Amino acid sequence: MTDTSVFEDKKAAYYTLGCKLNFAETSTIGRSLLAQGVRSVRPREVADICVINTCSVTELADKKCRTMIRKAAREHPGSFVVVTGCYAQLSPEEIADIEGVHLVIGSEKKLDIADYLDLERPRDAGASIVRGRTKDIRTFRLSSSSDERTRHFLKVQDGCDYHCTYCTIPKARGRSRSGSIAEIVAEAERIACEGAREIVLTGVNIGDFGKGHPGEDFFSLVKALDEVEGIERFRIGSIEPNLLSEEIIRYSATSRRIAPHFHIPLQSGSDEVLRLMKRRYDTALFRSRVELIRELMPHAFIGVDVIVGTRGEEERYFEECYQFLEGLPFSQLHVFSYSEREGTAALSIEHAVTPRDKHKRSQRLAHLSEERLQTFYRANLGRELTVIWEHGNYDGRMMGHSENYIRVAQPYDEAAIGTTTRITPQHLDESGTFVY
């Protein structure tokens, strides 16, 4: 155990890569170090400690992490550099070999960084590695972001029991596990007391909420959070289509605080590719979920994740995917190019897609996405929206989001931060933002 007196008057810099879940966890790490006397570094100060929370969802993500680690060490010479997160769990030795790294800490002990910071250790002694076996990761640790925004991210679940052939996340984060409804509600209430107006529910597979808590499930959590006073709205983060039940959709359509905003990973619009991916639904189920949302909440925002160029995605299967998406009433696509990951089952699938074809397919879907997003925004012109104004001054403008995730701008007014305005937008600027 580290002597915490060494933390007095120390400063830390935090770097986060990847998903919203990582941002929530980085904030929790920051709060734990602040409790030990370590404050966040201010602009132009040199930090004593650098914490880099990494992602490893793709090969490009790994590369960005390595770049960020070197950048942190360069910007804060002489600092104690800690690397944690998914990349640290999957490739600790690779990270330990990077010059300037002093501690690599895996997923299980991520939130216990203070216990492993040996600031008195010689900086040239090489990196220490603290990492357990992924199969032994069993503990759920509550996390939430607390940066200077009105929107906060609340971790409700971690890990994943799905083993999709292309994905390394179960190896990085372990088995599915979650907090209890009581503990999540209590954290939401604490966040509300801090002045937050909006909370995004996040996790690796949030629809699987309830593991380890008999009688609890994600729908029960949604209903409980809907009663939390002080929070204007909750957004459901990315949720698997087979876990986004009809009852959740129907409840959201009439709820007090659940936003009409859904982020659903499709990954492919070809049933054959879904089978190769070992996804747990088919296109018929996905379509039924999206069409029910659109029927009950005509102006809901529906974001859809798609991966292009996976192993086995022959040209005809991509065309099936494209045609399926053309006929689907979504609002925006989030398009990712498949990246081969060591140790995944996808490597045994025949037919590898060339980088050129991946790019072409990605571009076609990006164009389709832009068309749909513009259509979605135009459909909301002249329609009354409720906007929560957020922190941030962008060249004299401030931003806010409506309940259905429409981005709105107005002249900056510090007094408006965190307030709610009902507006009827009449103008869409060149950046794709409603102007009020």
Side-chain angles (χ1 to χ4, degrees):
M1 192 72 71
T2 302
D3 176 8
T4 57
S5 66
V6 302
F7 296 149
E8 292 180 10
D9 300 320
K10 292 294 190 291
K11 305 177 292 295
Y14 299 95
Y15 301 81
T16 307
L17 299 104
C19 62
K20 295 177 176 67
L21 179 55
N22 270 5
F23 281 89
E25 290 175 335
T26 299
S27 287
T28 302
I29 293 169
R31 287 198 299 274
S32 70
L33 288 180
L34 181 61
Q36 303 290 345
V38 181
R39 66 169 174 84
S40 293
V41 70
R42 299 186 181 109
R44 292 180 294 279
E45 287 185 331
V46 175
D48 303 291
I49 304 165
C50 289
V51 179
I52 301 99
N53 193 1
T54 62
C55 173
S56 189
V57 70
T58 64
E59 183 179 357
L60 178 59
D62 288 355
K63 182 178 179 181
K64 288 181 177 179
C65 290
R66 292 190 293 270
T67 299
M68 185 64 78
I69 293 165
R70 295 186 179 99
K71 178 176 183 284
R74 186 170 62 252
E75 290 181 344
H76 302 280
S79 64
F80 190 94
V81 176
V82 186
V83 183
T84 188
C86 291
Y87 186 31
Q89 180 68 24
L90 293 172
S91 306
E93 291 83 6
E94 187 174 295
I95 295 170
D97 285 340
I98 298 175
E99 185 177 355
V101 173
H102 303 101
L103 174 63
V104 183
I105 189 163
S107 297
E108 179 76 345
K109 301 298 183 182
K110 175 190 290 188
L111 302 184
D112 299 319
I113 282 177
D115 293 342
Y116 298 95
L117 287 178
D118 184 3
L119 301 185
E120 296 178 339
R121 186 179 182 208
R123 295 295 190 262
D124 59 357
S128 298
I129 296 176
V130 178
R131 172 188 175 272
R133 298 181 303 177
T134 303
K135 68 178 184 178
D136 294 331
I137 300 175
R138 303 287 181 181
T139 306
F140 175 80
R141 304 288 295 276
L142 190 65
S143 298
S144 61
S145 67
S146 58
D147 52 7
E148 295 183 340
R149 299 178 59 178
T150 54
R151 185 188 308 121
H152 285 224
F153 300 107
L154 174 56
K155 173 183 170 181
V156 303
Q157 183 274 342
D158 202 349
C160 187
D161 293 342
Y162 291 10
H163 291 275
C164 301
T165 56
Y166 57 85
C167 186
T168 60
I169 299 305
K171 293 182 178 181
R173 285 194 171 264
R175 300 293 300 272
S176 179
R177 55 208 185 273
S178 60
S180 67
I181 290 177
E183 122 181 78
I184 300 301
V185 167
E187 182 67 2
E189 291 171 341
R190 185 193 68 80
I191 292 171
C193 290
E194 288 189 346
R197 303 299 305 279
E198 178 177 307
I199 290 177
V200 181
L201 306 181
T202 186
V204 176
N205 188 356
I206 64 172
D208 204 31
F209 176 89
K211 289 290 180 70
H213 302 280
E216 298 191 353
D217 58 20
F218 187 65
F219 183 39
S220 300
L221 175 66
V222 167
K223 289 188 291 185
L225 290 172
D226 202 23
E227 301 298 322
V228 174
E229 298 294 337
I231 299 298
E232 184 82 14
R233 63 175 72 120
F234 289 91
R235 294 191 191 276
I236 297 174
S238 180
I239 182 169
E240 294 287 304
N242 53 302
L243 298 176
L244 179 59
S245 65
E246 289 191 10
E247 61 182 355
I248 293 173
I249 295 170
R250 293 185 185 280
Y251 182 84
S252 299
T254 59
S255 72
R256 301 170 65 193
R257 295 183 174 88
I258 307 304
H261 177 187
F262 297 87
H263 187 143
I264 319 170
L266 168 65
Q267 310 307 21
S268 177
S270 162
D271 283 326
E272 176 59 22
V273 175
L274 290 176
R275 184 188 66 80
L276 291 171
M277 290 177 165
K278 292 192 175 179
R279 300 293 284 167
R280 300 193 179 195
Y281 54 87
D282 57 16
T283 54
L285 183 142
F286 195 94
R287 180 185 294 280
S288 72
R289 296 296 191 262
V290 171
E291 290 182 344
L292 181 61
I293 294 169
R294 194 58 78 208
E295 174 190 342
L296 299 177
M297 293 166 273
H299 294 283
F301 183 94
I302 304 174
V304 175
D305 288 347
V306 185
I307 301 174
V308 299
T310 55
R311 285 260 189 162
E313 188 189 66
E314 299 175 15
E315 183 67 33
R316 57 183 171 141
Y317 296 143
F318 174 74
E319 289 302 326
E320 288 177 4
C321 175
Y322 190 87
Q323 290 169 20
F324 175 76
L325 288 167
E326 273 193 316
L328 197 69
F330 65 87
S331 308
Q332 185 179 29
L333 298 177
H334 302 269
V335 184
F336 305 88
S337 289
Y338 167 71
S339 176
E340 304 216 311
R341 310 301 288 145
E342 183 180 349
T344 57
L347 297 180
S348 64
I349 299 173
E350 294 183 1
H351 184 73
V353 180
T354 66
R356 181 184 179 191
D357 283 341
K358 287 182 190 177
H359 179 72
K360 286 169 58 180
R361 294 173 190 183
S362 178
Q363 288 300 301
R364 283 185 66 189
L365 291 183
H367 290 315
L368 177 61
S369 176
E370 184 58 29
E371 289 174 3
R372 291 298 180 84
L373 186 60
Q374 290 298 315
T375 298
F376 176 71
Y377 265 66
R378 286 195 296 269
N380 281 273
L381 280 168
R383 178 176 169 270
E384 189 175 64
L385 304 172
T386 302
V387 177
I388 299 175
W389 299 107
E390 300 168 7
H391 287 263
N393 187 337
Y394 306 94
D395 296 324
R397 300 202 304 180
M398 66 192 308
M399 298 293 174
H401 284 84
S402 68
E403 61 273 37
N404 61 339
Y405 211 54
I406 295 284
R407 200 163 84 135
V408 182
Q410 72 168 4
Y412 182 79
D413 176 7
E414 186 174 357
I417 294 171
T419 65
T420 301
T421 306
R422 295 190 67 80
I423 69 167
T424 303
Q426 303 292 338
H427 174 62
L428 187 65
D429 73 8
E430 65 281 355
S431 70
T433 301
F434 281 148
V435 179
Y436 175 55

